[in-house]
Amino acid sequence: MAAAYKKLPSRVLMVVFGSAVMGLSIDLLVTAGFGLDPLSLFQAGLSRVFGITLGRASQLLMVSIMAVLLMLDRKRVGLGSVLNSVLVGYFVNLFARWLPMAGFQSLWVRCGVVAAGFLLMGFGIGTYIAARLGEAGVDALMVYFAEKCKLPMRRVRPGLDVFLALTGFLMGGSLGWATLASMAVNGYVIQLTVDMWQACAIARQTTKSQ
């Protein structure tokens, strides 16, 4: 998979934007109260075990997995890995200040919020991965196993999500129907987003060459 865009500033912007969308999606899922996506559920479990904020737990997990990846496959680690590892937790804490602490009262509003949450999660992950500046955390493992096993990301992600959800639940995270819904669609949204950025880049290059 080639980089969607070649210029470094554009690719860095994609990583920052994708990380911000991921941070917002985590806060939306927390606020909706129907359960978290598998990755956020695992991070919430870490937060409870270590007594730290959700944003700090996100950073801890990202950095820990990045250290493992340095031993498994150094090419998976790059500028995007570092930026995403730090920025997702930062944006989680930032957006948490703006969202209602008590959550939304209307059931339909909460359903809309949770749907937006896990769709934005997949879109954010796919966006920063498409920049090809390196992946962070579970996303790096997903791409690593997808390439090693020669499988599309939409087929690899569910297995990782099941592991994250079960482990996070055992650590005290909030498991709900939104978790199961996220496990069903997350990989597909990530794959579609990466493909979308690739298609946009190809269309842009084609237009320039004409």
Side-chain angles (χ1 to χ4, degrees), residues 38 142 152-165 182-188:
M142 174 186 65
M153 289 180 285
R154 65 177 181 272
R155 294 184 61 184
V156 175
R157 187 69 186 212
L160 291 173
D161 283 345
V162 169
F163 171 78
L164 291 170
S182 178
M183 290 166 61
V185 304
N186 204 19
Y188 286 92

Side-chain angles (χ1 to χ4, degrees), residues 35-106:
L36 303 170
D37 71 280
L39 177 57
S40 301
L41 174 56
F42 186 85
Q43 292 168 347
L46 288 178
S47 175
R48 291 177 63 89
V49 170
F50 292 103
I52 54 180
T53 66
L54 187 59
R56 188 67 67 188
S58 173
Q59 293 171 334
L60 175 64
L61 176 63
M62 296 290 192
V63 172
S64 298
I65 295 180
M66 188 164 60
V68 174
L69 286 169
L70 283 172
M71 295 182 288
L72 290 176
D73 187 358
R74 290 179 180 270
K75 72 177 182 179
R76 294 264 68 89
V77 180
L79 177 60
S81 308
V82 177
L83 288 175
N84 184 260
S85 297
V86 175
L87 290 176
V88 172
Y90 168 78
F91 283 117
V92 167
N93 290 334
L94 177 65
F95 290 126
R97 303 172 189 170
W98 300 344
L99 292 172
M101 297 300 294
F104 300 98
Q105 300 303 315
S106 169

Side-chain angles (χ1 to χ4, degrees), residues 1-5 130 132 193-203:
M1 182 176 67
Y5 294 90
R132 296 296 287 173
T193 303
V194 171
D195 292 344
M196 178 201 73
W197 284 112
Q198 291 287 330
C200 289
I202 293 172

